[in-house]
Amino acid sequence: MAELTGANWRKSTRSGDNGGNCVEVADNLPGFIAVRDSKNPAGPALTFSPAAWTRFVRSSKTPH
């Protein structure tokens, strides 16, 4: 499991203003990107390699 101590969480620019239902991303940690639900900051976080995160972000911007 990745160590999240020192993570600088920020609200995703894609979250918008939807009453607190947000995704937060920490991209300041060495070797991985972490993603969590802002409503449950003590809960689980998903972690991705930088390459996997880049592929995910690019694919989410591509019209399907």
Side-chain angles (χ1 to χ4, degrees):
M1 180 173 181
E3 178 62 46
L4 300 179
T5 302
N8 291 326
W9 295 100
R10 63 180 172 79
K11 181 179 164 183
S12 170
T13 57
R14 298 284 186 184
S15 290
D17 184 23
N18 53 15
N21 296 322
C22 301
V23 171
E24 293 180 320
V25 177
D27 58 5
N28 68 306
L29 302 165
F32 65 94
I33 310 299
V35 181
R36 71 179 182 185
D37 181 350
S38 65
K39 295 184 308 302
N40 188 11
L46 300 173
T47 58
F48 300 89
S49 71
W53 182 250
T54 297
R55 285 191 304 272
F56 170 75
V57 170
R58 284 184 184 155
S59 70
S60 68
K61 292 179 181 180
T62 304
H64 293 85

